[in-house]
Amino acid sequence: MTIFTCILLGFLVVCAIAASLSKKLLNTILIFMSYSLIMSIIWVLLESPDLAITEAAVGAGVTTVLFLVTLKKINAIIKKESSQEENANEQENT
């Protein structure tokens, strides 16, 4: 094994642990996307470009977009403007 491959495997472990310990959903999605990109690089090193392209497209691309849309639909991602308006409304009421 080369040093580069060992470093990538270490990053995979770090990403997996960080995703499971993260408290914020948005951070977890970004970590998961990083995991998929690292995995696609490993597939290239293993001389399997078809799996690398699939991992990059589905794992880092489509899945990340679907997760972000889902968070938006369940209102887990709140726009900064709407949260500022709520804070202003709360200050006016007190």
Side-chain angles (χ1 to χ4, degrees):
M1 255 192 201
T2 65
I3 294 175
F4 183 64
T5 306
C6 291
I7 291 171
L8 287 175
L9 291 174
F11 280 143
L12 278 181
V13 171
V14 168
C15 285
I17 292 170
S20 62
L21 296 177
S22 179
K23 301 286 186 205
K24 294 183 179 181
L25 294 174
L26 187 60
N27 290 344
T28 305
I29 292 171
L30 295 176
I31 294 168
F32 178 73
M33 183 181 68
S34 301
Y35 181 91
S36 294
L37 290 174
I38 294 169
M39 195 63 216
S40 67
I41 295 169
I42 291 175
W43 284 122
V44 169
L45 293 176
L46 292 173
E47 297 177 3
S48 184
D50 54 338
L51 288 174
I53 292 170
T54 303
E55 182 72 33
V58 174
V62 176
T63 306
T64 302
V65 170
L66 289 175
F67 281 152
L68 290 174
V69 168
T70 302
L71 287 181
K72 186 73 172 171
K73 291 278 186 185
I74 64 171
N75 294 326
I77 299 175
I78 301 173
K79 288 184 179 178
K80 193 173 186 179
E81 297 169 0
S82 63
S83 64
Q84 288 176 351
E85 289 174 5
E86 290 175 3
N87 289 338
N89 289 338
E90 288 176 7
Q91 289 177 357
E92 288 176 2
N93 291 335
T94 55

